Amino acid sequence: MKASDAIVKCLEMEGTDVIFGYPGAAVIDIYESLQVSPIKHVLVRNEQSVVHYASGYARETGKVGVCIVTSGPGATNTITGIATAYMDSIPVVVITGQVNTNLIGTDAFQEADMKGATQPFTKHNYLVQDATQLPKILKEAFFIANTGRKGPVLVDIPKDMQEQKIAFDYKDKVDIIGYKPTVKGHAGQIKRAIQRIKAAKRPVIYAGGGILSSGAKEGILIFAEKTGIPVINSLMGVGGFPQDHPLYAGIVGSHGYAYSNEIIGKTDLLITIGARMSNRSTTGFYKLNPEIEFIHVDIDPAEIGKNRGYTLPIVGDAKVVLRSLIEKAEQMDFTAWIDEIQELKDHHAPASQESAPNGYIHPVDIIRYLSDNTEEDACLVADVGQNQIWSALNYQLRKDRKFLTSGGLGTMAYSLPAAIGVKIANPDRQVICVIGDGGIQMCIGELAVAREQNAGVKIILLNNGKLGLVREMQQDIFGKGHTAAIDLNYQVQFPKIAEAYSMNGFEVSSFDEFQKVLDQVLKNDEPCLIQCNIHPDTRTLP
Amino acid sequence: MKKHVLSLLVENNSGVLSRIAGLFSRRCFNIDSLTVGTTEDEALSRMTIVVTGDEQTLEQIKKQLNKLVEVIKVVELEPIESISRELVFIKVKADNATRSNVIEISNIFRANIVDVAKESLILELTGDGVKIEAFMELMEPYGVLEFIRSGATGLQRGSVVLKEK
């Protein structure tokens, strides 16, 4: 079998039904082999977006997202996407073409050392030097990407390796001597955790993205309800616990809820599950009493104790560990603590929304209206910047709703391709993309993909003519009135751009207009763009 | 801050060394020395890495190394329960007047003379860091022209072996 045919066959056997890619000379054989495969190929418009598409697909399906790009610039363009997936632990296999093996190291046309370049931010990577090893390498790549702490794996395949004839032998099982993730939590540690819970007065579960990636949404709900312990989310954990639940206690972090950060300061037992204690999430943790009990559950042992000491580590998969905890857990009575949390919540209740000046809409009104009017299984994909914070804090995640964003690397231009990836993976889901005028201009070509694929993503463009979050930082650090290099002075007519891509574009400058347009566009499943004019001085922080 | 000696069993693939060195550099852990060679099994290599750091840094280093797919085992070599040695070649000035003194000191340290020239000698010495430092200090007055140290390499004492998982 030709090796390129074998590559495609491996992808089929891994259950891949969609590939996001951008062809070129170094992957021309793989593309030829794809012609006769049932796998659907989505041609993206820039390789930076390609991994974000695959990320959206992976986060929607639970499968590994796959993308293929050519060597050199095609491959180097994927670097931001790969680093984004690495920071957020998203399973993606990136196949890059490489120049012929005899040219490697000669600075040949379109040559780039992708194995070297991506070593710091891939979970693992390969440079194929023996075509007969291709099936084994691809099997390993999928296995590594989607087990343990999930993440991106890159397979760099020289063109001459794709051309060779090999015997196709695809093993069912993978055995890598140096890679044996611990999935099951240590029984003794589980027992000790239960004892600590029984002794606690004010326990809190701090749940991160690991809840979502291990499929532990149901498990954490059962565990919280069985023990009566309140749950706080990190930004990546948003959507992992229903926000209309009495035990929900908000979002922590530099841009989280003030009351959630207060709760952290009062707890005597912190149970962290699938959260890596990132510097951005744990800004409120300075209030944490150093004497508290701290149980840290994580599939990645290196996360335990990295940023903060622990008193009880449990290495294991969130879903599996929660199952063990549920078995041993007993109904506890933390009513007094829950009441105290409720008081904090009431005390910090958001003040009634300030009205936007004439000719503008307040972004919080937009997100709350989306929250009230989108479906109970809608997926909101937020970009990075002010739009992300307004979305995370005001869109209520209940029932089967999803919230996706680039939490770790904070990559602008993530949301549009990721949202289209979600929609392609699951056309039945209502998908909302919230993005700023800075972010969309980094990936505007991807509008073509939404149109071409009939991916009915509703793009809510919060347009303030500024890099809003940078402006806030400048003013907070250097004083009022100080801004530099954040004006997107040339005002783009985004609805006209949408129309140029044959999709409906709207511009709204009042909340009434927004309501009318949104009500109208939610009735169909067509992609569209709504430019919402936001006053440039609107802040995320009070 | 203490020196720690780590012994690693890794897969013998191209790029493993740069992956490990890269892990240290991107996390700003400094490598004092690193030696590597194949084992009795050609598919595997053994590395000895000397690092300086506090306990927390060391714990992170070990955990991050263990995360690498091609790293099979990592152990810390405790001084009492292990042996470790360095190799050094020293080119030292030695003419008719000083040569016998240099040779005498070399004999005491059990250093080998591996090259003799009119004005210089090359000496080969194996030992732990302290022995090598002491020898270098004694050679200094004669005029050390250049030297090269290999970095430490080590094994656990007794029948304990660094096995595959």
Side-chain angles (χ1 to χ4, degrees), chain B residues 10-27:
Chain B
V10 302
E11 286 191 52
N12 184 12
N13 296 341
S14 69
V16 174
L17 182 61
S18 80
R19 210 186 284 280
I20 287 171
L23 184 151
F24 278 81
S25 73
R26 87 185 143 102
R27 292 182 185 269

Side-chain angles (χ1 to χ4, degrees), chain A residues 468-504:
Chain A
L469 205 55
V470 186
R471 176 187 63 80
E472 276 188 60
M473 281 169 57
Q474 287 175 344
Q475 294 187 340
D476 290 348
I477 297 166
F478 302 107
K480 293 276 177 217
H482 178 98
T483 60
I486 45 91
D487 289 304
L488 298 166
N489 277 327
Y490 183 74
Q491 185 50 59
V492 180
Q493 305 290 309
F494 291 103
K496 285 188 180 168
I497 289 186
E499 282 161 20
Y501 283 106
S502 304
M503 67 171 74
N504 283 327

Side-chain angles (χ1 to χ4, degrees), chain A residues 23-45:
Chain A
V27 283
I28 206 157
D29 296 85
I30 302 177
Y31 271 83
E32 200 55 28
S33 301
L34 264 176
Q35 297 301 307
V36 290
S37 167
I39 297 176
K40 172 181 173 157
H41 179 267
V42 176
L43 175 66
V44 307
R45 296 307 192 262

Side-chain angles (χ1 to χ4, degrees), chain A residues 46-66:
Chain A
N46 183 300
E47 293 95 345
Q48 181 178 313
S49 299
V50 80
V51 191
H52 301 330
Y53 279 97
S55 166
Y57 173 91
R59 289 169 86 166
E60 176 59 26
T61 58
K63 294 200 284 188
V64 175
V66 181

Side-chain angles (χ1 to χ4, degrees), chain A residues 144-158:
Chain A
I144 292 168
N146 212 19
T147 52
R149 179 175 181 175
K150 298 174 183 183
V153 177
L154 181 129
V155 185
D156 198 25
I157 313 178

